Amino acid sequence: MVKEKDQPLKFSEWRPIGVCDQGRANQRSARMFSRRDFEKICSPGVNRKNWEKIPQIRKLVERYALEVSRFSNLTKDMKKPGIVSIKLVGAVLGHEETPGLNLESKDGKVQLFQVEFEETAEPKKARSWLKYIIFAFLGMALLITLFFLMNLNFQTNPNISQKGSNASCRSIAPQQSRMKTLKDLRRDLLGDLKRLPEWSRLQDVQNLCSEGGVGSQQQEIVFLRCLLRVRAETETLGTTEITGISRMERCAESICAENQQHLQPYCRRL
């Protein structure tokens, strides 16, 4: 432990003996230089004005400063003490067994490197479970928003609601909506067929699937006849699966499941 003189430096001689913290007098923690390091500090050409500019001397002092930080009372609550500043202060050694150095101190020849420390550890990050909760909440909010938008689009877009659900093909659906679904499915099927290389050979199919039909029963008959004719024609062509046919087949299953008498001749062939 060391005691500091609370007065400006007035000595010119260079004899630093160690490193201390900036605690109160008689309560400072210090680490004295080893003989070998003391000789380095006091080597020719090193003085009070230029020691900071000499890399090896600066590193030596910082090494001792970090050692002091491990047992200093000023850093006991710090997780990662860092050096803020280092300055020279006058010192008096309070050890009677070293009277020679005491005399030198009283004469203003002994100095200590005084170090100021600060906390350099980063603030603790949020707990990982808290981050997961936040991400889960945001993800849930996104899913709810997407579901709402998809449901809204499904309800407001007649093409999606009619083509994507067999419910509009059943007799319980509004008649206008049911008839529009049957027409749209035929129209989409013709659009798929027109992209086939063999389209020129399917003109009879186009004429049949384009028929208007009068009344709901006629519309249903035209729909089933169109499907049966297209299936037969495309099977002979050896073409790959056509999306429009699959959609019409799903709708036809719903229609035939009602066992309506006027549709029996066609439903039996599906």
Side-chain angles (χ1 to χ4, degrees):
M1 305 298 289
V2 297
K3 181 178 179 182
E4 176 190 351
K5 287 183 178 180
D6 298 324
Q7 60 182 12
L9 293 176
K10 62 181 180 180
F11 45 81
S12 59
E13 294 190 45
W14 174 256
R15 194 180 295 268
I17 59 174
V19 178
C20 68
D21 62 17
Q22 59 173 159
R24 294 180 180 179
N26 296 323
Q27 296 181 2
R28 293 192 173 184
S29 299
R31 173 77 162 83
M32 300 304 157
F33 293 127
S34 66
R35 184 180 183 86
R36 183 177 179 181
D37 291 334
F38 178 76
E39 291 176 353
K40 291 180 181 179
I41 290 287
C42 296
S43 59
V46 181
N47 56 55
R48 192 154 48 89
K49 294 182 179 180
N50 68 1
W51 69 271
E52 290 186 280
K53 300 177 182 178
I54 304 175
Q56 58 269 31
I57 300 299
R58 175 79 185 190
K59 290 180 181 179
L60 188 151
V61 175
E62 289 178 348
R63 175 164 58 84
Y64 274 78
L66 292 177
E67 290 184 23
V68 173
S69 71
R70 296 189 184 100
F71 55 83
S72 171
N73 290 328
L74 301 181
T75 59
K76 63 181 180 180
D77 295 327
M78 297 183 186
K79 294 184 178 180
K80 188 178 180 182
I83 299 172
V84 178
S85 65
I86 302 176
K87 64 181 180 179
L88 281 164
V89 297
V92 175
L93 293 181
H95 302 288
E96 295 181 357
E97 61 269 21
T98 55
L101 290 178
N102 275 330
L103 291 175
E104 287 184 333
S105 297
K106 292 176 181 178
D107 292 339
K109 298 179 181 179
V110 178
Q111 300 99 55
L112 283 169
F113 289 98
Q114 177 181 283
V115 184
E116 179 183 355
F117 297 103
E118 71 175 357
E119 177 65 86
T120 61
E122 295 182 0
K124 212 170 190 179
K125 295 182 179 179
R127 294 178 183 269
S128 56
W129 61 264
L130 182 58
K131 291 193 296 184
Y132 292 142
I133 290 177
I134 294 174
F135 289 144
F137 177 79
L138 293 176
M140 186 178 298
L142 178 61
L143 288 175
I144 292 174
T145 303
L146 289 175
F147 177 80
F148 174 78
L149 292 176
M150 290 176 64
N151 189 53
L152 180 64
N153 191 37
F154 180 83
Q155 294 177 353
T156 57
N157 190 329
N159 290 330
I160 294 177
S161 62
Q162 291 169 358
K163 297 177 186 178
S165 173
N166 289 346
S168 59
C169 296
R170 298 170 184 166
S171 59
I172 60 174
Q175 184 175 353
Q176 184 177 1
S177 174
R178 178 183 168 100
M179 294 302 101
K180 188 175 188 310
T181 296
L182 300 183
K183 289 181 181 179
D184 288 346
L185 288 172
R186 283 190 287 150
R187 181 197 62 207
D188 291 348
L189 174 62
L190 289 175
D192 292 341
L193 295 176
K194 288 179 181 179
R195 289 191 285 270
L196 296 176
E198 301 87 356
W199 168 244
S200 60
R201 299 166 55 183
L202 300 175
Q203 296 303 311
D204 291 342
V205 170
Q206 180 181 12
N207 294 334
L208 174 60
C209 294
S210 299
E211 290 183 11
V214 179
S216 60
Q217 292 188 0
Q218 286 297 319
Q219 287 280 0
E220 293 167 348
I221 292 173
V222 171
F223 179 82
L224 294 178
R225 288 180 60 203
C226 172
L227 173 60
L228 291 170
R229 182 66 178 271
V230 170
R231 282 205 317 193
E233 293 290 342
T234 54
E235 285 176 1
T236 60
L237 294 175
T239 57
T240 57
E241 182 179 354
I242 300 174
T243 303
I245 295 178
S246 300
R247 290 177 179 171
M248 288 184 67
E249 287 176 337
R250 290 195 294 271
C251 187
E253 290 175 359
S254 298
I255 294 175
C256 290
E258 299 171 1
N259 294 319
Q260 299 185 62
Q261 188 63 34
H262 68 284
L263 299 178
Q264 290 302 311
Y266 309 101
C267 290
R268 285 196 294 265
R269 295 167 53 189
L270 288 176

